[in-house]
Each structure stands twice: as structure tokens, then as C-alpha cells.
Amino acid sequence: ANPRCLKNVHSLPCDYRANQWAWMTQDLFNEWLLQVDTWMKRAERRILLLIDNCSAHNMLPRLERIQVGYLPSNCTAVLQPLNLGIIHTMKVLYRSHLLKQILLKLNSNEDQGKVDIKQAIDMIAAAWWSVKQSTVVKCWQKAGIIPMELTDSNTEAAAIEPDIAIEKLWHSVAIATCVPNEINFQDFVTADDDLIISQELMDTEVIQGMVASENTDEAGSEDEGEASLPQQPKITITEAISSAQKLRRFLSTCVGVPDAIFGQLNGIDEYLMRRVTQTLVDSKITDFLQTKYVGINCLF
């Protein structure tokens, strides 16, 4: 619930919640559902949300902008777009990020430490953002929910290239880390496919979970193996701006950098500069008011 790696972390690219079994529960699902309903209300939209009938979806809250439709029982593997390629694509991308981290550490002779929750969150978010809209559309078409359209052969050919790069990456890491030859990248991707993610709880398990949660809140919690790690120094806004400038200079020395990369970097620059200028403006106003307050006191 309170891993050391999230200490002093106030913004994440996701909603982070803890659960003793790492399951999706009714409370967690309903909290997210109400959040989405609020977003739709603000955007003045109404949506249809298709879900399966797992135990976490059985008791829904009252919703204003979301109409929920249940998929037929025991048809998840053939009717749910997420299970027809979207989740698998995201997992391929996530495991690729993981392999890149391992390869970088191998080349720098760093110890292969465990991936902490913060690192995993960042890689999972990056993987989700990299899932193409066309992938999502094709999976909906495969489920038969939206009409099939002609597929552009050029798009299909382009999609093969990243797979070759990933296989090369896997081969390099597998050799360096002595992975048995009979294990391939797809085995690595699907290793947790059969993991239980939701289940009906017995009353005794509910009570145990509540007690464990209370104990965690009182004592705090740390990831296994993190207790001995030194606390990371806080990065100042000035250091962050300097790092962004160094990144820009580095990219300028590279060949064939896409314009979109510089566009993303500009967005980071704008955000950091907005933060620092607002801080400076607020401090100047505070200094001015304090000066005026002292001056008035002197007059009296």
C-alpha cells in the first residue's frame, strides 16, 4: 500500500490502489467506474460500456452517463476485444520495455536489481500509450462488434518490423542471462496469462484482508528488498529544466529524429517553464505583500 519507491510521489500516469491479493474487486472497479462517469458528465457525453460478468462487476453503482452492457457468459475469449489482441499487444510492449532496461544494465555492468512498483507503472503506462488506435479497431472488428473494413496491406507490413526488433532484443538478453533455448519471447509475454485477477471472497478472507489493511496503514509497508535502498535525493525544478535542455542537445546530434519527439520535448519544456515561472511569480507576490505589511506596521 505504501511502497518506498512511491514516497514523495504525488503524480502517477495511473490510479494506484493496493489489494492484498492483487485482484480487481467490486470496490476498486466501482470507484473507477464512478470516476469515468464524472469524466463523461464533464465532457457532456454518454457512452455504452461492455464488460464481462466477473465477480468484480456484479454490483454496479448508480451511473448518470454510462450505460453498462454485459457480454454473454463464457464468451470472453471470442467476444471481448481486450482479449482478442489489445491486452496481448500491451504486454508485448511492456515486456519489451523490461528487456531494454535489462540490456542497459547489462551493458553498464549494473546489478540486476528488482523492478520496483514505480518503474513497473511507468513502463506499463508507456506500453499502453504505444498501443495503436488501429490495433484497438481491429480487435473490435475481430469480435464482430463493429463492421469489418478492408485492411491496408502497407499497414500490415509495417507492423511486422517492430516484432523483428523485439525478437533480436529478446535473443540478446536471453543469451546474456542464460535463458534456456526452449523458452522464447512469447513464453515470456504469456507467462502470467493464467494468473487469477478476480474471485469471490469468502467471509473469512474479507475479514483477513481488512485486518491486513489496517495493520499496513498503521505500520506502513515497503516492497520486499527495498528497505536497504538509499533514499533518492529530491530533484529540483532547475535540475529538471537542465536535464530537458541536455536531452534536446543530445537529440540534435542524432540523425533522423522524428519531429514528434521534438514536439513531445517541447511539451515537457512548456510544462516545466510554466511551473517555474508560476513559482517565481507567487514568491515575488509573497515578498511584495510581506514588504507592504512590514511597512504598514512601521507606520503605526
Side-chain angles (χ1 to χ4, degrees):
N2 303 297
R4 181 182 291 269
C5 60
L6 295 186
K7 187 176 182 181
N8 297 323
V9 172
H10 304 293
S11 295
L12 288 170
C14 69
D15 296 325
Y16 177 75
R17 299 291 184 271
N19 173 263
Q20 185 182 3
W21 296 275
W23 288 350
M24 175 56 69
T25 65
Q26 286 182 0
D27 289 341
L28 292 177
F29 182 70
N30 288 348
E31 178 189 344
W32 172 81
L33 201 56
L34 288 169
Q35 189 179 58
V36 176
D37 195 55
T38 301
W39 294 339
M40 294 302 104
K41 191 172 182 180
R42 288 176 185 166
E44 297 184 349
R45 293 181 58 194
R46 294 183 181 277
I47 63 170
L48 169 65
L49 179 66
L50 301 177
I51 59 176
D52 58 29
N53 59 347
C54 87
S55 57
H57 302 160
N58 289 344
M59 296 183 65
L60 303 181
R62 183 177 177 275
L63 304 167
E64 296 182 39
R65 297 299 179 114
I66 300 176
Q67 180 180 339
V68 174
Y70 284 95
L71 295 168
S73 301
N74 303 318
C75 292
T76 298
V78 294
L79 284 182
Q80 187 157 275
L82 287 171
N83 291 77
L84 293 174
I86 297 173
I87 291 176
H88 181 77
T89 299
M90 181 177 169
K91 288 174 69 173
V92 166
L93 293 166
Y94 166 68
R95 296 293 203 276
S96 302
H97 283 295
L98 192 56
L99 289 176
K100 290 171 185 175
Q101 290 291 331
I102 295 172
L103 193 61
L104 285 173
K105 287 187 176 182
L106 287 170
N107 288 340
S108 61
N109 295 320
E110 291 184 26
D111 293 334
Q112 293 295 321
K114 291 183 177 180
V115 173
D116 62 36
I117 291 174
K118 176 65 168 59
Q119 292 171 319
I121 286 173
D122 289 338
M123 286 189 285
I124 291 169
W128 174 242
W129 293 331
S130 299
V131 175
K132 297 179 181 179
Q133 181 178 346
S134 59
T135 300
V136 177
V137 171
K138 288 173 187 174
C139 292
W140 278 73
Q141 290 173 338
K142 191 174 179 181
I145 298 175
I146 59 176
M148 291 293 294
E149 297 175 356
L150 291 177
T151 305
D152 186 355
S153 57
N154 293 331
T155 304
E156 289 294 327
I160 298 173
E161 293 302 322
D163 294 341
I164 298 173
I166 291 172
E167 288 293 343
K168 289 181 178 178
L169 180 61
W170 165 256
H171 186 65
S172 300
V173 173
I175 292 174
T177 55
C178 301
V179 174
N181 292 333
E182 61 269 20
I183 298 177
N184 57 35
F185 179 66
Q186 286 305 318
D187 295 328
F188 181 52
V189 171
T190 60
D192 56 0
D193 276 5
D194 296 326
L195 202 64
I196 297 175
I197 59 172
S198 178
Q199 188 168 304
E200 293 282 0
L201 292 177
M202 304 295 291
D203 290 343
T204 53
E205 292 176 323
V206 173
I207 294 171
Q208 288 174 2
M210 293 173 65
V211 171
S213 178
E214 289 174 1
N215 292 338
T216 298
D217 290 339
E218 291 174 4
S221 94
E222 295 176 345
D223 284 344
E224 183 182 349
E226 281 194 354
S228 60
L229 292 177
Q231 186 171 345
Q232 295 295 321
K234 187 175 182 180
I235 300 173
T236 65
I237 187 74
T238 304
E239 290 172 331
I241 291 173
S242 175
S243 296
Q245 292 172 344
K246 287 180 181 178
L247 181 57
R248 185 181 293 278
R249 289 201 299 271
F250 168 75
L251 291 173
S252 299
T253 65
C254 299
V255 178
V257 178
D259 292 343
I261 299 297
F262 287 106
Q264 292 167 353
L265 191 55
N266 285 335
I268 294 172
D269 281 339
E270 288 178 9
Y271 174 77
L272 292 175
M273 292 305 296
R274 196 161 55 241
R275 285 289 301 270
V276 72
T277 52
Q278 187 60 51
T279 302
L280 291 172
V281 168
D282 291 343
S283 63
K284 291 296 182 184
I285 291 175
T286 304
D287 292 342
F288 173 76
L289 291 176
Q290 287 178 343
T291 304
K292 295 289 285 185
Y293 179 74
V294 171
I296 291 171
N297 281 340
C298 290
L299 288 174
F300 288 96

